[in-house]
Amino acid sequence: MDFRVEQKSSRAFKDTFFRALFHEEERALELCNATEGTNFRNGTPIKYFTRGNTSLARRNNDLAFVVANQLLSFQDHQGTLNPNMPFRFLPNVAEALYTWLEDKKDLYKNKLVTIPTPKFYVLYNGKEKLENKILRFSDAFRFSDHNFSLQLTVKVIDINHGNGSDILKKSPSLGGYAYLVYQIRKHTDSGIERDKAISIAVNHCIKKDILADFLKKNYQEVCGMFDWGITIDEEMEIREEEGYLKAALKMLKSGVNLQDVIRILELSDSQIQDVRTRAV
């Protein structure tokens, strides 16, 4: 008999589910082994950065934990790949590593403070075809001199179902997650209402014994777990802001003076400041 989803899902789906799934330690170790090429056994100690202790774990689609002196930070990412991911990781991991210290006074002593080695991953499951790649914080530097003092790299892995990724084979939980997202997307793309699409996809996975234990245990909460860190409405606002900026810069380049650009586009104070900064 099929399970039934009674609660309404959030407007956009999947990231909170990702974090909840891998907050089970055996699955987290499995994910670590798949991405890092390690062979940690169940029972290996894990420390999670929970929603209460650092902003690294307060974003809906972030997962961060320490295992064997490594701080692994994952973000499930949908839509077009954002080139600013290293920048987005930077302040959060700094806070996380700072909270790792038992006594902040140790930073001022004549003894080196050691910290877990940080590693960053974006698990990409957007619709655009994407080859695995490395994003570097230095790509954003305005001065291209390679003699800089700060770097942060993010490994991007395509986890779309059916792409033949070894990582999806090495981590059945991640492979199951990718398959569930694929099923939901397939049904919503065919015009089925989102909540019904989730219900159909979840029941399908249970019948195929894909993440069945987790889905059965958490069935009533599954729809609420499917939640993006940014809503569709927020994404549209960002795209609208980007549209204003592109239009303003194009007008300035064509010779229209700034005051006329402001008047024609009805720019806000923050938009005006952004245009002035970008136009320099």
Side-chain angles (χ1 to χ4, degrees), residues 3-267:
F3 289 83
R4 297 296 174 189
V5 177
E6 297 178 356
Q7 68 186 85
K8 293 293 183 180
S9 66
S10 65
R11 181 165 181 79
F13 65 88
K14 69 185 183 311
D15 295 325
T16 306
F17 179 89
F18 168 79
R19 187 177 57 210
L21 181 66
F22 288 100
H23 253 275
E24 293 186 358
E25 292 190 1
E26 290 185 7
R27 298 186 195 276
L29 288 171
E30 179 190 288
L31 178 62
C32 173
N33 289 337
T35 53
E36 288 289 307
T38 51
N39 192 30
F40 294 120
R41 297 185 177 182
N42 292 339
T44 301
I46 288 181
K47 174 181 171 58
Y48 284 98
F49 287 91
T50 61
R51 289 178 69 85
N53 62 18
T54 171
S55 62
L56 185 63
R58 285 198 288 270
R59 292 181 55 85
N60 283 346
N61 54 348
D62 284 356
L63 174 75
F65 57 87
V66 171
V67 56
N69 294 316
Q70 297 180 97
L71 167 57
L72 302 181
S73 182
F74 297 90
Q75 184 169 112
D76 178 45
H77 187 72
Q78 70 290 319
T80 303
L81 181 64
N82 190 315
N84 299 308
M85 296 307 296
F87 207 155
R88 290 164 60 177
F89 273 113
L90 184 63
N92 295 335
V93 74
E95 179 187 352
L97 291 173
Y98 196 72
T99 62
W100 179 263
L101 300 176
E102 293 183 3
D103 187 350
K104 307 302 186 292
K105 294 180 181 178
D106 289 344
L107 289 173
Y108 302 93
K109 297 179 181 179
N110 292 326
K111 181 181 178 181
L112 181 66
V113 172
T114 59
I115 57 176
T117 302
K119 297 184 179 181
F120 307 95
Y121 289 93
V122 166
L123 302 179
Y124 174 81
N125 57 11
K127 293 184 178 182
E128 295 182 6
K129 187 175 181 180
L130 174 73
E131 295 182 1
N132 299 342
K133 61 185 299 183
I134 301 294
L135 300 178
R136 294 177 174 81
F137 186 50
S138 60
D139 292 338
F141 296 171
R142 292 184 176 180
F143 186 53
S144 60
D145 183 359
H146 294 289
N147 205 17
F148 44 78
S149 301
L150 180 64
Q151 183 61 285
L152 187 152
T153 59
V154 179
K155 187 174 183 180
V156 181
I157 301 174
D158 187 342
I159 63 167
N160 276 293
H161 172 72
N163 70 357
S165 171
D166 287 339
I167 288 179
L168 298 183
K169 298 175 183 176
K170 293 176 181 177
S171 172
S173 297
L174 188 61
Y177 169 71
Y179 183 74
L180 176 59
V181 170
Y182 163 75
Q183 287 293 321
I184 295 173
R185 182 175 290 157
K186 179 179 72 172
H187 292 304
T188 55
D189 286 349
S190 70
I192 296 176
E193 185 266 340
R194 185 179 60 256
D195 291 310
K196 186 176 181 180
I198 293 172
S199 179
I200 294 171
V202 169
N203 279 293
H204 174 77
C205 287
I206 290 174
K207 289 177 181 178
K208 291 182 68 70
D209 197 26
I210 295 173
L211 301 181
D213 55 341
F214 183 87
L215 293 174
K216 289 178 181 178
K217 179 181 177 181
N218 301 285
Y219 196 88
Q220 291 302 319
E221 293 80 22
V222 163
C223 282
M225 288 179 180
F226 282 93
D227 182 27
W228 280 343
I230 182 170
T231 67
I232 290 176
D233 290 338
E234 289 170 336
E235 182 176 357
M236 291 302 295
E237 288 178 8
I238 291 173
R239 291 183 181 276
E240 185 177 0
E241 288 290 331
E242 291 177 342
Y244 271 117
L245 180 59
K246 289 180 180 178
L249 294 178
K250 186 175 182 179
M251 291 171 69
L252 290 172
K253 188 175 181 180
S254 67
V256 180
N257 67 61
L258 180 58
Q259 291 306 315
D260 286 337
V261 170
I262 294 171
R263 176 179 56 80
I264 294 170
L265 296 180
E266 299 181 347
L267 300 179

